[in-house]
Amino acid sequence: PTLRILLPVGISFYTFHGISYTFDVYRRDIQPAKDLLDFAVFVAFFPQLVAGPIGRAHIQLPQFENDRSPLRADQVKSGLALILLGLFKKVAIADALAPFVDETFTNAASSSWLVLLAGAYAFALQIYGDFAGYSDVARGSSRLLGIELPLNFEQPYLSRNITVFWRTWHISLSNWLRDYLYIPLGGNRSGTSKTYRNLMLTMVLGGLWHGAAWTFVAWGTLHGLYLCAHRAFTERPGGAGAAHNKVGRFTGSDVLPAIGTFQLVVFAWIFFRAASFSQAFEVITGILTLQGGTTDAGAVFLVALLGAVTIAIDIAQRNSGTHTPMLELTPVLQGALYGVFVVAIVLFSGGETVPFIYFQF
């Protein structure tokens, strides 16, 4: 039978907050909160309530418990810059691509391989712009209140391997799964085979968290296999080792590894986005067999353009060491860039409302 249950908004995220607090107190990593209101604000702090970043008590509770310093001008400037950048990612990138993604996956059987490939790339850009955009808005809004939220994205599509990807994609969830699932299972302390088992269990359960569907299990399983394969490759005699997994400046030597990693991530995203296995295999088969069919050249061009914009933003952030590199520009260039952001947001915000993807999880 179908149970029509109305779930509270943000239940996944504030459940994560409560579980992490409970375990941290149980392990004596932190002291219990002395004030119920402070604890309630930590669990239900509105900027991060419905889609994260997932808060950690040892980072955020002290910010609610202690008196805060008066808001500084640089906090206001960076907070507003993050909000504007987040809105641009959400509206001008994610929402602009959403109709094409929906149409591509719905009509996978009749679309050309080029459209299917562009649709898969478009979803990768959509979910990144949508979720990273929300995180930017949440962090910026919170900063205007004098509260710092944890970093949730650090240019994941520039990752040179899959391990770096998971250190830079939805960082608060990755850290939560590591600290409260992977490490309690034994982490990498019990031999190679159990390390691989723990990685697979963690990623499969991470997939199930997104929804009780086999497509999410497939997505989590693929990433588990990716991580196990990469770990085996780097730990072999003569392998690159842990130094290969550090996040640093993006240089020319990172381009090919980043492109290869991105292909693996996009392949897994197909299962994440597809409504069923049959739809996922229609997309994959159509691409691999160079399927003929209708081609929307304008949509393909839009995907390429917004992909280039996304990469440019990420490289600027990575190599400047800040999520608000625009603040380092001259006032004239800042004004021009803000104008472009605002115009793009206005132009792409007149269509049908596109809900945040992670509101459903």
Side-chain angles (χ1 to χ4, degrees), residues 191-215:
T192 302
S193 60
K194 288 186 178 179
T195 296
Y196 294 153
R197 179 204 66 183
N198 297 339
L199 276 173
M200 289 299 302
L201 285 174
T202 300
M203 296 311 300
V204 169
L205 290 173
L208 273 174
W209 171 75
H210 289 86
W214 287 110
T215 49

Side-chain angles (χ1 to χ4, degrees), residues 3-11 14:
L3 301 178
R4 301 189 179 278
I5 301 173
L6 184 64
L7 295 175
V9 172
I11 185 171
Y14 64 71

Side-chain angles (χ1 to χ4, degrees), residues 13 47-48 51-54 79 82-83 85-87 89-90 127-143 149-154 169-172 323 356 358-359:
F13 289 92
Q48 66 187 118
I54 299 167
L82 277 174
I83 292 171
L85 180 60
L87 285 173
K89 289 178 180 178
K90 163 61 177 167
I127 194 169
Y128 179 39
D130 191 280
F131 197 12
Y134 178 93
S135 295
D136 287 343
V137 173
R139 292 179 63 225
S141 302
S142 182
R143 186 169 293 174
L149 296 182
L151 189 65
N152 212 25
F153 289 89
E154 197 171 4
W169 174 275
H170 201 349
I171 298 169
S172 60
H323 276 227
F356 283 96
Y358 266 72
F359 277 14

Side-chain angles (χ1 to χ4, degrees), residues 4-347:
R4 301 189 179 278
I5 301 173
L6 184 64
L7 295 175
V9 172
I11 185 171
S12 295
F13 289 92
Y14 64 71
T15 299
F16 274 144
H17 292 171
I19 290 173
S20 67
Y21 170 83
T22 303
F23 272 87
D24 286 350
V25 170
Y26 173 76
R27 295 168 175 172
R28 293 181 172 80
D29 292 335
I30 61 171
Q31 293 296 315
K34 297 181 175 62
D35 188 287
L36 178 60
L37 182 59
D38 290 335
F39 173 74
V41 174
F42 158 67
V43 172
F45 187 47
F46 80 90
Q48 66 187 118
L49 177 64
V50 287
I54 299 167
R56 299 293 289 270
H58 71 278
I59 296 174
Q60 285 179 251
L61 260 179
Q63 297 187 69
F64 298 126
E65 293 172 335
N66 302 323
D67 292 337
R68 290 187 295 282
S69 303
L71 205 60
R72 303 186 310 274
D74 64 297
Q75 288 177 293
V76 175
K77 289 171 63 177
S78 61
L80 291 174
L82 277 174
I83 292 171
L84 182 60
L85 180 60
L87 285 173
F88 176 79
K89 289 178 180 178
K90 163 61 177 167
V91 177
I93 296 178
D95 289 3
L97 293 171
F100 175 60
V101 172
D102 292 343
E103 183 178 355
T104 299
F105 277 81
T106 300
N107 303 315
S110 59
S111 298
S112 70
W113 70 271
L114 182 60
V115 167
L116 294 174
L117 185 62
Y121 288 144
F123 178 68
L125 296 173
Q126 180 197 0
I127 194 169
Y128 179 39
D130 191 280
F131 197 12
Y134 178 93
S135 295
D136 287 343
V137 173
R139 292 179 63 225
S141 302
S142 182
R143 186 169 293 174
L144 295 179
L145 301 174
I147 301 294
E148 287 296 319
L149 296 182
L151 189 65
N152 212 25
F153 289 89
E154 197 171 4
Q155 306 87 44
Y157 289 160
L158 300 182
S159 302
R160 68 174 68 90
N161 59 61
I162 201 68
T163 299
V164 174
F165 173 80
W166 276 106
R167 290 182 178 178
T168 53
W169 174 275
H170 201 349
I171 298 169
S172 60
L173 175 63
S174 299
N175 290 345
W176 197 98
L177 292 172
R178 178 197 66 199
D179 294 343
Y180 301 107
L181 190 57
Y182 176 69
I183 292 177
L185 282 170
N188 59 359
R189 302 187 303 273
S190 303
T192 302
S193 60
K194 288 186 178 179
T195 296
Y196 294 153
R197 179 204 66 183
N198 297 339
L199 276 173
M200 289 299 302
L201 285 174
T202 300
M203 296 311 300
V204 169
L205 290 173
L208 273 174
W209 171 75
H210 289 86
W214 287 110
T215 49
F216 291 124
V217 173
W219 174 79
T221 300
L222 280 172
H223 275 282
L225 292 172
Y226 293 163
L227 288 168
C228 289
H230 180 253
R231 189 178 186 90
F233 177 75
T234 55
E235 291 187 349
R236 78 194 194 286
H244 190 57
N245 300 329
K246 291 183 178 179
V247 179
R249 286 179 60 85
F250 188 77
T251 64
S253 62
D254 294 318
V255 173
L256 290 179
I259 291 174
T261 301
F262 183 62
Q263 308 314 307
L264 295 175
V265 171
V266 171
F267 179 74
W269 278 138
I270 293 173
F271 291 94
F272 190 97
R273 173 57 180 81
S276 62
F277 273 127
S278 60
Q279 188 179 78
F281 288 129
E282 280 182 349
V283 173
I284 295 169
T285 303
I287 294 172
L288 294 179
T289 60
L290 302 181
Q291 175 176 291
T294 56
T295 298
D296 187 342
V300 173
F301 174 76
L302 180 64
V303 174
L305 175 63
L306 295 182
V309 171
T310 301
I311 292 171
I313 292 173
D314 278 6
I315 291 177
Q317 289 181 330
R318 174 69 63 84
N319 290 349
S320 67
T322 174
H323 276 227
T324 53
M326 66 283 286
L327 297 179
E328 300 176 358
L329 301 175
T330 64
V332 172
L333 290 177
Q334 280 191 54
L337 185 60
Y338 295 152
V340 170
F341 282 175
V342 170
V343 169
I345 291 168
V346 171
L347 288 177

